């Protein structure tokens, strides 16, 4: 894992001191809310429905046990004993007091964490593949590049006031586990025909009000020009992005309006100009960063067989583990989706436990997934049973990864001031319905995603089944969408028709799965069947 | 009735104007009639409350009920965490919001 040097630490410490002074001036009445709001947002402090909310950055989702323990302590000491892991691999606290905010940032700084650039029109936390550095199918570890981009984008003076917020994801495998094409910039590390490693750039994707899949604007950028090319992409956007209209200010609108070809041409011109300016960090810096991501000391001959006689354990292994590049190891997913729970929420006790398990079983490392679960990336197969037993005992052993019970749900109207409708109760009712009927296993991979408003933090456009909460004359209403994907086969879900009330949407989801089960061909997932048979049979079942 | 709400400056807690001070309980809210803007401006200037605003509400046998669901969620707390609402002993308290 990356460790702060004296520059990183000095920058974060200075920001804490600056914010402490700003918060005190607000409390003393020397700053109005209008003056203070942009300052608190620069430090991830929002005002939500019930209290201040603090969003803490988890760089590309990576935490060590010391950091996870610190997050748990913050939950206990300053919040109400829990936190919420988000779809951007961050964590949010829902019950923060302004009086405590600077102390929390100081506690975070002690473990090399902060809340900088988790709000505002700047480059947000860089996200990545939660199996990075572990996955059997990756070309190289994308994290050094994600870290290089993190350093480049932190406090970048030119990109602190962009037309809108800006999100970047970096992956290094053909399987996309980071919704890469639904980011402002998606970077895939690739190998070209000549055998060289470089980066493909996808620019102008996003969800929200106007969902778009990012087109590839360059198939290969040499790795020693990665930052320069990213800078060129940002510069063209910063120059031409629609600052006049908040709803048209994201880069996806610019790329769409200019056309991918014209946008790419402008980026090329800027890139050529920047190559002369020497903005690329020296290779020595990338090499320095890469040393932090060296493999941990894996055992050479770790056992690859396990005793599968306990069916509950065997099910969990089949569902919640992912192939590792090293024989005898897997990545193990801790589900934060127990039936009836709140997707992505973890109590302080659970965070402490996950920290201990990361230390004992995964070389002191864990990852936040954008699907609101936690990964232990490097677990010895021989240790799986012991790990599972401890998780199961703590209510963290749900064997439901990528099933209909593994629902992404944004905080919705239970917490979020922008929401139209509640997301979490809908997720809970759907989970309960399928858990009770025992059909979860039969349905196989089925990604269900719920957002409480058009901002799409719950990725509803990218769900095999998506649900969007809307306000219908002051009451909650839910639109159903089908056919989305945020994987390598990225697609945008389509609305089925008129919306449903809270119970109606649960019935509608069940009906959609009935259509799937009665039409599926061998080996087809819900998404495959939908793509083959189209919307009509689903509409018929839902509305006739 | 028109009632006045905001968030406490220090804690961020949802508060309601009770006629002389800010209360955590929506049932304490009083009808501010056409004085909402005046009270809001005075209280915000005194740095006691953040972004106060007036809303429509009704008083019935069960107390004061804000007209919009968002303010009912604010008044109660998250419906999915009955233990953290202002009525923690009532697991069904969330039904009031709908
Ligand atoms: S999608 Fe809307 S309701 Fe959900 S967290 Fe985002 S802004 Fe809030």
């Amino acid at each position: 894992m990356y460790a702060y040097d004296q520059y990183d630490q000095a920058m974060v410490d200075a920001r804490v001191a600056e914010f402490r002074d700003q918060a005190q001036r607000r409390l003393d009445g020397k700053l109005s809310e209008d003056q203070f709001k942009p300052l608190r947002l620069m430090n991830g402090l929002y005002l939500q429905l019930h209290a201040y909310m603090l969003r803490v950055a988890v760089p590309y989702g990576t935490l060590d046990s010391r950091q996870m323990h610190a997050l748990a302590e913050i939950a206990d000491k300053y919040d109400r004993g829990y936190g919420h892991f988000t779809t951007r691999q961050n964590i949010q606290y829902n019950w923060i007091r302004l009086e405590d905010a600077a102390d929390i940032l100081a506690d975070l700084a002690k473990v090399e964490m902060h809340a900088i650039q988790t709000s505002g029109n700047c480059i947000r936390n860089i996200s990545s593949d939660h199996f990075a550095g572990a996955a059997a199918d990756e070309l190289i570890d994308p994290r050094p590049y994600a870290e290089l981009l993190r350093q480049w984008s932190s406090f970048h003076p030119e990109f602190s006031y962009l037309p809108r917020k800006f999100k970047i994801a970096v992956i290094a495998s053909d399987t996309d586990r980071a919704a890469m094409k639904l980011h402002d910039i998606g970077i895939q590390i690739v190998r070209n025909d000549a055998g060289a490693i470089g980066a493909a750039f996808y620019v102008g994707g996003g969800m929200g009000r106007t969902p778009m899949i990012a087109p590839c604007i360059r198939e290969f950028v040499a790795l020693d020009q990665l930052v320069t090319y990213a800078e060129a992409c940002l510069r063209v956007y910063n120059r031409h992005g629609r600052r006049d209209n908040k709803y048209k200010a994201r880069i996806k609108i610019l790329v769409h309006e200019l056309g991918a070809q014209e946008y790419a041409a402008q980026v090329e011109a800027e890139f050529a100009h920047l190559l002369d300016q020497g903005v690329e960090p020296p290779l020595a810096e990338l090499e320095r960063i890469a040393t932090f991501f060296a493999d941990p000391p894996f055992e050479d001959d770790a056992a690859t067989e396990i005793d599968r006689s306990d069916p509950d354990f065997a099910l969990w292994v089949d569902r919640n583990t992912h192939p590792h590049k090293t024989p005898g190891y897997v990545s193990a997913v801790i589900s934060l989706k127990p039936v009836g729970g709140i997707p992505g929420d973890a109590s302080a006790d659970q965070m402490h436990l996950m920290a201990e398990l990361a230390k004992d079983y995964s070389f002191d490392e864990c990852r936040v997934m954008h699907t609101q679960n936690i990964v232990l990336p490097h677990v010895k197969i021989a240790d799986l049973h012991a790990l599972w037993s401890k998780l199961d005992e703590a209510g963290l052993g749900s064997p439901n990864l990528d099933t209909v019970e593994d629902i992404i749900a944004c905080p919705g109207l239970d917490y979020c001031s922008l929401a139209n409708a509640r997301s979490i109760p809908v997720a809970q009712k759907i989970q309960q319905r399928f858990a009770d009927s025992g059909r979860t296993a039969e349905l196989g991979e089925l990604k269900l995603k719920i957002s409480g408003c058009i901002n799409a933090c719950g990725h509803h456009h990218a769900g095999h089944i998506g649900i969007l909460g809307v306000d219908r004359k002051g009451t909650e209403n839910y639109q159903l969408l089908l056919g989305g994907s945020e994987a390598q086969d990225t697609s945008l879900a389509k609305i089925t028709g008129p919306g449903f009330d809270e119970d109606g949407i649960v019935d509608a989801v069940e009906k959609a799965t009935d259509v799937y089960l009665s039409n599926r061909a061998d080996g087809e997932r819900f998404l495959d069947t939908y793509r083959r048979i189209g919307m009509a049979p689903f509409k018929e079942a839902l509305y006739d | 009735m028109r009632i006045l709400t905001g968030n406490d400056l220090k804690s961020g807690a949802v508060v309601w104007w009770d006629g002389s001070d800010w209360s955590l309980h929506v049932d304490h809210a009083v009808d501010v009639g056409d004085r909402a803007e005046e009270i809001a401006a005075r209280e915000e200037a005194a740095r006691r409350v953040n972004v106060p605003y007036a809303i429509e509400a009704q008083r019935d046998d069960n107390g004061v009920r804000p007209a919009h669901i968002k303010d009912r969620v604010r008044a109660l707390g998250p419906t999915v965490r009955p233990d953290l609402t202002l009525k923690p002993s009532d697991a069904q308290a969330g039904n009031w919001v709908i």
Side-chain angles (χ1 to χ4, degrees), chain A residues 254-273:
Chain A
L254 178 71
V255 173
H256 180 72
E257 287 184 352
L258 283 177
Q261 234 181 344
E262 171 58 22
Y263 171 76
Q266 294 195 21
V267 170
E268 286 302 321
E270 188 62 40
F271 181 50
H273 167 71

Side-chain angles (χ1 to χ4, degrees), chain A residues 345-392:
Chain A
D345 274 17
S347 69
D349 287 347
Q350 288 175 327
M351 285 189 247
H352 280 307
L353 175 69
M354 291 191 285
E356 285 303 299
L357 295 176
K359 192 162 74 184
D360 293 346
Y361 296 109
S362 186
F363 297 97
D364 202 28
E365 205 185 306
C366 56
R367 313 271 175 79
V368 183
M369 299 170 76
H370 83 271
T371 55
Q372 303 174 295
N373 295 311
I374 302 293
V375 180
L376 301 184
H378 313 296
V379 180
K380 245 195 305 186
I381 288 174
D383 286 338
L384 278 175
H385 193 273
L387 170 66
W388 170 76
S389 302
K390 288 176 184 169
L391 289 171
D392 202 39

Side-chain angles (χ1 to χ4, degrees), chain A residues 269-336:
Chain A
E270 188 62 40
F271 181 50
H273 167 71
L274 282 172
L275 282 175
D276 289 341
Q277 311 289 306
V279 299
E280 193 71 28
L283 198 58
E285 178 57 11
L286 179 61
E287 286 167 354
R288 184 189 77 85
I289 289 170
T291 60
F292 291 103
F293 298 97
D295 278 348
F298 296 124
E299 280 177 24
D300 284 338
D301 48 2
T304 54
E305 298 299 319
I306 40 166
D307 176 358
R308 296 172 56 91
S309 54
D310 180 335
D312 291 340
F313 170 59
L315 180 65
W316 181 80
V317 171
D318 291 343
R319 280 273 166 66
N320 286 36
T321 63
H322 188 266
H324 199 281
K325 63 185 182 184
T326 308
Y329 288 82
V330 289
S331 299
V333 176
I334 302 173
S335 170
L336 296 183

